[in-house]
Amino acid sequence: YLGVNLNETKALKSLTWHNNTLTIVLRFDYPIAGSFLEVVRKKLLERLQLLSGDILLQISIYWKVNQHSVQNNLKLVPGIKNIIAVASGKGGVGKSTIAVNLALAIAKAGARVGILDADIYGPSQPWMLGSQEQSGLAATKHLEPVERYGLQVMSMGYLVAQDAPMVWRGPMVSRALEQLLYETAWENLDYLIVDLPPGTGDIQLTLAQKIPVSGVIIVTTPQDVALQDAKKALAMFQKLGILVLGVVENMSIHVCSQCGHEERIFGMGGGEKMSMQYGIPLLGQLPLDVKIQEQTDNGKPSVVAEPEGKIASLYQEIAYHVTAKLSLQPRNYGVSMVVES
């Protein structure tokens, strides 16, 4: 996932020699499930035993998420180490579904994760997570995030009636985003996933100018129309100095639920072309599968509905690629209210 050798990761934290025993401690800067760490430990042990003869080896591996650099050295948000935005140039590409499953997959690896629904006009995360209760006030007079499947969640959908339209002008919407972010009592998050509305408008500009973002993910489909808009979104974030972590191609292939026949309804290769043209990683490709729609409509996204299923494993791969890519970026040593665990 890191794409570099073990030495280049700077994961080696200590190497000590005592009583014919070599003790090695490695620390990675992104969340890795315990079973995966054990695989790495065993592989390293096998390699070293071939070289070390009679020397006894002890290998300890763990992970800890650091704060990473943000655009324009903006002040960090209390309680949050890293903010990752999920964006698209146009609607209907499955961005919100990817955002919630990405958040759940990162949490499944062991990190503390929250999700902020930044689509003020059309919030969808409460329904996708099956949590439509109203948010209350914390003891600090801040908004209390809703807990769901291990995530801390905040959305305008928790603050207004389900059918109430948000008839607001751009400045009011931007202010609402800032309030949802800064006036929510986030508790010691490693990552906050921000589900942005489609386009390149007021919300995106507010995010770039006032909110410390560690990186952004662009979601597209293989279709040329979606790809053109995704390129515009990518160019906007690059112009505003926000790191683009990569692109996710959604609806890459349709798999018939009856016969298993595979068909590329929206074309093919769009995400790969964008990756090559702009020199950014292709983080993953997801199928057009009726299960994904059914699971989110029922308030149980794929990662929790079928945690060992094929679709959940694809989201897990994307989660590892995203967090690993971010872990290679410079650290942010600014002051933060995050309490180290």
Side-chain angles (χ1 to χ4, degrees):
Y1 299 105
L2 291 165
V4 295
N5 66 43
L6 190 59
N7 191 48
E8 291 174 314
T9 66
K10 299 181 181 179
L12 181 62
K13 295 306 172 186
S14 69
L15 189 150
T16 56
W17 171 260
H18 182 68
N19 290 340
N20 202 45
T21 299
L22 182 64
T23 302
I24 299 171
V25 177
L26 299 174
R27 191 197 82 187
F28 292 101
D29 294 334
Y30 69 104
I32 311 174
S35 58
F36 193 14
L37 287 181
E38 185 59 23
V39 170
V40 175
R41 195 189 73 81
K42 286 183 177 179
K43 284 183 177 290
L44 185 58
L45 192 60
E46 290 170 1
R47 289 289 187 92
L48 290 173
Q49 283 176 334
L50 293 174
L51 302 172
S52 61
D54 296 331
I55 295 174
L56 298 175
L57 294 169
Q58 291 185 347
I59 301 174
S60 175
I61 307 178
Y62 69 105
W63 61 265
K64 176 185 174 185
V65 176
N66 290 311
Q67 299 164 173
H68 293 282
S69 59
V70 299
Q71 79 280 25
N72 302 322
N73 295 316
L74 289 172
K75 185 178 179 181
L76 299 177
V77 179
I80 304 172
K81 288 183 179 179
N82 299 288
I83 295 177
I84 299 175
V86 180
S88 67
K90 68 185 280 85
V93 298
K95 169 188 51 58
S96 294
T97 301
I98 288 174
V100 70
N101 277 290
L102 173 65
L104 289 165
I106 297 174
K108 185 179 176 182
R112 292 180 61 85
V113 185
I115 184 165
L116 173 61
D117 190 347
D119 194 340
I120 306 300
Y121 293 121
S124 57
Q125 292 302 337
W127 289 267
M128 288 186 168
L129 287 163
S131 58
Q132 298 171 36
E133 63 268 32
Q134 297 293 295
S135 172
L137 289 176
T140 58
K141 304 300 182 182
H142 281 56
L143 293 169
E144 188 74 48
V146 173
E147 295 276 348
R148 188 66 170 167
Y149 303 129
L151 301 180
Q152 297 177 37
V153 191
M154 181 48 63
S155 168
M156 185 60 73
Y158 294 136
L159 305 176
V160 298
Q162 179 176 347
D163 298 326
M166 303 302 295
V167 189
W168 289 357
R169 294 187 182 276
M172 293 178 67
V173 173
S174 297
R175 177 57 183 153
L177 173 63
E178 291 183 70
Q179 288 180 310
L180 288 178
L181 177 64
Y182 286 99
E183 297 182 17
T184 296
W186 306 108
E187 185 180 349
N188 194 22
L189 294 181
D190 294 312
Y191 303 97
L192 176 70
I193 306 300
V194 178
D195 177 17
L196 289 173
T200 55
D202 290 319
I203 290 286
Q204 288 79 5
L205 285 173
T206 298
L207 184 91
Q209 295 172 351
K210 298 184 178 181
I211 296 173
V213 181
S214 300
V216 64
I217 300 161
I218 307 294
V219 178
T220 186
T221 66
Q223 192 175 17
D224 286 342
V225 173
L227 202 60
Q228 291 304 315
D229 288 338
K231 290 178 181 179
K232 293 175 184 177
L234 184 148
M236 181 197 72
F237 287 113
Q238 289 181 330
K239 184 175 181 179
L240 294 171
I242 295 178
L243 171 69
V244 177
L245 294 166
V247 60
V248 175
E249 184 184 273
N250 199 21
M251 308 180 196
S252 293
I253 191 168
H254 174 254
V255 181
C256 178
S257 59
Q258 299 299 316
C259 67
H261 174 69
E262 297 182 353
E263 188 173 8
R264 297 187 181 275
I265 296 176
F266 296 111
M268 61 183 295
E272 293 176 352
K273 292 175 185 175
M274 187 171 172
S275 170
M276 293 179 63
Q277 180 179 354
Y278 291 93
I280 60 173
L282 177 61
L283 299 169
Q285 295 170 296
L286 294 159
L288 177 61
D289 192 312
V290 68
K291 280 186 178 181
I292 299 175
Q293 171 261 314
E294 291 172 347
Q295 289 161 349
T296 51
D297 281 356
N298 291 328
K300 283 191 173 182
S302 303
V303 173
V304 293
E306 295 183 2
E308 304 304 321
K310 182 178 179 181
I311 295 172
S313 69
L314 292 174
Y315 282 117
Q316 199 67 58
E317 286 287 303
I318 293 171
Y320 280 136
H321 281 295
V322 168
T323 53
K325 170 76 173 174
L326 182 58
S327 76
L328 295 173
Q329 302 307 309
R331 291 180 60 180
N332 188 332
Y333 294 95
V335 176
S336 174
M337 296 293 288
V338 173
V339 179
E340 298 291 350
S341 58

